[in-house]
């Protein structure tokens, strides 16, 4: 750690005390940003953590929809994001106008949006969900009701496969990072690391194919191509959210794990589990938007109290309803 980084971290600590602030960092953030955070985790859990603190200011080191979610859950707090340009390729695949038009095509449908959406989109939906509870949310909806699931087509396809629901319509959106994690890449890694456990995020482009390979929605042990063609691969695969991955990494007795999600999560995994080896499914799985938040920008955000993210009251109220319906199911 160089002198500049040390000085910045000290200044950030001082400003946190002066501003009565907490710093939240998503699992995909740069290591030095995670190091100054009060809480590290996935987007919804971080907002819930913020709501439970007495701090007046929240500095959200993540992407824009996450700061919006914090504003929705914590309307009495000032929410800052260190870079307004830190967007989300998945959230941007659907606008509120597109959603309204889609709903008109299916007037009887129940609308379920992934947490990776804008506040305006959440406000138009009946339920919100995360990657860890999407299946549970959809299962809670009466089977005779059509479901519009948005915006991630891979998570949606995963939910459809696990629930066996035939009346679910899926928006064709994707995360540019997770979409690049294809079945061929996973199968190649399975052959290379036969002794490893595999942790796969449901947003990945490989997910639905992997569910078919593994024969169930749990991924608890499998044989890939084990049909007499000589290419059988024994494996242990889990489909997990980022925080689910963190929890599993702490609990498993396995010493080698392949991680199929954005590479930023590896820093925390290795820090919390120094006796285990964590291998990225691809070193190219990098979110350029997450990496826009730097230590210098965190410092400037606290120093100048920029950039505030505030969701209009009526939008926040309607979006909060979708989130609360999800939490009630949990």
């Amino acid at each position: 750690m160089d002198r500049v980084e040390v000085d910045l971290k000290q200044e950030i600590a001082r400003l946190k005390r002066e501003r009565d602030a907490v710093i939240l960092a998503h699992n995909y953030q740069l290591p030095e940003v995670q190091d100054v955070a009060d809480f590290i985790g996935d987007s919804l859990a971080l907002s819930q953590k913020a709501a439970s603190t007495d701090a007046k200011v929240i500095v959200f080191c993540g992407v824009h929809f996450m700061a919006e979610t914090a504003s929705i859950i914590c309307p009495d707090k000032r929410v800052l994001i260190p870079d307004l340009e830190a967007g989300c390729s998945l959230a941007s695949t659907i606008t509120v106008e597109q959603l309204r038009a889609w709903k008109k095509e299916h007037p009887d449908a129940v609308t379920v949006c992934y947490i990776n959406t804008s506040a305006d989109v959440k406000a138009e939906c009946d339920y919100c969900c995360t990657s860890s509870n999407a299946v549970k949310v959809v299962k809670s909806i009466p089977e005779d009701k059509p479901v519009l699931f948005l915006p991630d087509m891979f998570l949606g396809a995963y939910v459809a496969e696990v629930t066996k629901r035939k009346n679910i319509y899926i928006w064709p959106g994707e995360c540019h990072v997770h979409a690049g994690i294809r079945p061929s890449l996973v199968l190649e890694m399975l052959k290379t690391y036969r002794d490893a456990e595999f942790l796969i995020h449901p947003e990945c482009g490989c997910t639905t194919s992997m569910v078919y390979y593994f024969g169930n929605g749990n991924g608890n042990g499998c044989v890939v191509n084990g049909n007499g063609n000589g290419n059988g691969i024994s494996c242990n695969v889990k489909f997990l959210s980022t925080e689910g991955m963190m929890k599993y990494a702490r609990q498993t007795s396995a010493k080698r794990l392949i991680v199929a999600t954005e590479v930023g999560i590896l820093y925390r995994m290795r820090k919390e589990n120094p006796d285990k080896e964590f291998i990225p499914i691809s070193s190219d799985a990098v979110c350029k938007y997450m990496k826009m938040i730097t230590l210098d920008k965190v410092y400037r955000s606290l120093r100048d109290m920029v950039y505030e993210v505030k969701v209009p009251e009526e939008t926040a109220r309607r979006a909060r309803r979708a989130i609360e319906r999800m939490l009630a199911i949990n």
Side-chain angles (χ1 to χ4, degrees), residues 187-188 190-191 193-194 222-226 231-235:
L187 292 175
E188 180 183 337
L190 283 169
K191 292 175 182 177
Y193 298 98
R194 293 173 180 267
C222 59
V223 176
V224 179
N225 291 339
N231 295 322
I233 305 170
S234 297
C235 61

Side-chain angles (χ1 to χ4, degrees), residues 3-62:
R3 186 66 215 172
V4 173
E5 187 173 322
V6 171
D7 289 344
L8 273 177
K9 288 182 175 180
Q10 289 176 346
E11 282 299 294
I12 288 169
R14 178 183 64 81
L15 287 167
K16 274 200 308 181
R17 293 190 296 270
E18 287 185 7
R19 306 296 194 198
D20 191 12
V22 293
I23 297 176
L24 312 180
H26 190 271
N27 287 313
Y28 299 160
Q29 287 291 295
L30 293 168
E32 58 268 27
V33 173
Q34 292 190 37
D35 284 344
V36 298
D38 298 285
F39 302 108
I40 307 168
D42 59 23
S43 57
L44 181 61
L46 287 174
S47 292
Q48 292 174 309
K49 281 281 189 182
S52 68
T53 74
D54 295 326
K56 295 178 181 177
V57 177
I58 300 166
V59 180
F60 210 122
C61 299

Side-chain angles (χ1 to χ4, degrees), residues 264-297:
I265 198 171
L266 296 174
Y267 176 69
R268 183 180 168 203
M269 283 183 163
R270 290 164 178 162
K271 192 174 181 180
E272 293 186 5
N273 307 275
D275 60 327
K276 297 173 183 177
E277 181 184 7
F278 297 94
I279 303 168
I281 193 79
S282 170
S283 58
D284 294 328
V286 178
C287 176
K288 62 181 181 180
Y289 300 107
M290 284 286 185
K291 302 313 190 241
M292 292 175 74
I293 308 297
T294 63
L295 202 60
D296 183 62
K297 289 177 182 178

Side-chain angles (χ1 to χ4, degrees), residues 212-287:
Y212 280 116
Y213 274 124
F214 305 153
N216 60 63
N218 301 314
N220 296 325
C222 59
V223 176
V224 179
N225 291 339
N227 53 7
N229 62 6
N231 295 322
I233 305 170
S234 297
C235 61
N236 194 347
V237 174
K238 306 287 182 182
F239 299 100
L240 298 165
S241 65
T242 57
E243 207 54 33
M245 288 181 179
M246 291 303 309
K247 182 178 180 181
Y248 186 80
R250 290 190 292 268
Q251 295 175 344
T252 182
S253 60
K255 293 300 183 181
R256 174 180 280 181
L257 297 96
I258 309 297
V259 183
T261 190
E262 211 271 354
V263 297
I265 198 171
L266 296 174
Y267 176 69
R268 183 180 168 203
M269 283 183 163
R270 290 164 178 162
K271 192 174 181 180
E272 293 186 5
N273 307 275
D275 60 327
K276 297 173 183 177
E277 181 184 7
F278 297 94
I279 303 168
I281 193 79
S282 170
S283 58
D284 294 328
V286 178
C287 176

